[in-house]
Amino acid sequence: MQIHILSENNSVLNHFLGQIRNVNLHNDSMRFRRNIERIGEIMAYELSKELHYSDIEIQTPLGIKKTTQIKDQLVLCSILRAGIPLHMGFLNYFDSAENGFVSAFRHHPNNDAYFDIKVEYQAIADINNKNLLLIDPMLATGQSIVAVFNRLMERGTPKEIHIAVTIAAPEGIAFLEKHLPHNCHLWIAALDEKLDEKSYIVPGLGDAGDLAFGEKL
């Protein structure tokens, strides 16, 4: 797996990452959503450097200009509900991409620390021979991404696979490396220290879905 950690180099990305972590700003859900969206835009720009391009000619008012355009067909697929703001950041840049949405959540059958992943609702474009970009803001254990990925593979075979997350834990990265194809690209805005006993990312930022859209029952 090819891993890209974007916060290793100073940029405005780190400014936005700092704001989404800051508990003193967590009562401002609009700012949180917008900053996640901005992070998605920055990640889309960096990811775009790995895509394939074709040469084209553009007619300007004064002549012809040779340039390039993205050749790959992209399908953006986010995990509901937390993935929506990050998804929109990518869609702002890859505005001709097709889209998909899948629900996945931690299910605690015994009301204890053990959980499995339930994958339910899904609506996604054809992924055959296209570049699949799977989007989820938090990579904790990695189980949700792998469960959704396996469900998507029942629908077709993409040409390339990119996973995009805002914050990742080392345990989640190791899980993806074990269970996903070796030619995947994993795009991480920031790498954190570890998971706690409840499998939450430390220092992390809390529950991205709740911060974006309000607490759930």
Side-chain angles (χ1 to χ4, degrees):
M1 179 176 290
Q2 299 183 56
I3 300 175
H4 314 263
I5 304 174
L6 303 183
S7 62
E8 291 180 337
N9 298 312
N10 278 328
S11 75
V12 71
L13 171 68
N14 290 343
H15 177 80
F16 297 140
L17 285 167
Q19 290 194 353
I20 64 172
R21 294 183 190 272
N22 190 338
V23 295
N24 295 316
L25 301 177
H26 278 180
N27 62 343
D28 189 344
S29 59
M30 180 181 292
R31 175 184 284 193
F32 183 85
R33 290 193 303 271
R34 181 62 184 120
N35 280 337
I36 291 285
E37 185 176 346
R38 287 164 165 166
I39 290 168
E41 291 172 348
I42 294 167
M43 295 184 75
Y45 169 74
E46 295 295 338
L47 188 152
S48 73
K49 299 174 184 178
E50 297 292 328
L51 299 178
H52 302 93
Y53 291 79
S54 56
D55 296 325
I56 61 171
E57 291 185 345
I58 299 293
Q59 176 71 57
T60 80
L62 300 177
I64 301 293
K65 175 61 180 176
K66 293 182 179 180
T67 185
T68 60
Q69 67 179 10
I70 296 174
K71 181 167 60 176
D72 298 312
Q73 292 180 282
L74 304 179
V75 179
L76 311 180
C77 181
S78 63
I79 298 178
L80 299 174
R81 62 182 169 148
I84 294 174
L86 192 62
H87 185 112
M88 293 308 301
F90 278 91
L91 190 58
N92 288 344
Y93 275 28
F94 301 137
D95 52 351
S96 61
E98 297 176 280
N99 295 271
F101 301 92
V102 178
S103 71
F105 61 93
R106 294 183 180 187
H107 174 240
H108 297 265
N110 304 316
N111 294 318
D112 56 17
Y114 169 79
F115 64 87
D116 55 18
I117 303 298
K118 295 291 186 181
V119 179
E120 295 184 342
Y121 173 85
Q122 52 185 316
I124 188 167
D126 178 21
I127 62 173
N128 278 299
N129 204 35
K130 299 175 184 178
N131 286 21
L132 173 64
L133 176 52
L134 184 55
I135 299 165
D136 195 17
M138 308 297 283
L139 171 56
T141 67
Q143 294 180 52
S144 293
I145 288 177
V146 169
V148 169
F149 175 82
N150 289 337
R151 182 67 62 87
L152 293 178
M153 291 306 98
E154 298 173 2
R155 304 175 64 95
T157 304
K159 181 174 67 174
E160 291 186 5
I161 301 161
H162 297 265
I163 312 294
V165 302
T166 303
I167 298 175
E171 295 91 334
I173 295 173
F175 192 81
L176 296 194
E177 289 182 309
K178 181 178 180 181
H179 292 282
L180 294 186
H182 295 304
N183 60 346
C184 286
H185 287 263
L186 175 59
W187 298 86
I188 301 168
L191 175 60
D192 275 12
E193 297 173 10
K194 62 181 180 180
L195 297 180
D196 67 10
E197 66 279 0
K198 294 183 178 180
S199 296
Y200 295 143
I201 300 174
V202 177
L205 55 76
D207 188 300
D210 287 358
L211 290 169
F213 300 111
E215 294 185 5
K216 54 189 174 293
L217 294 176

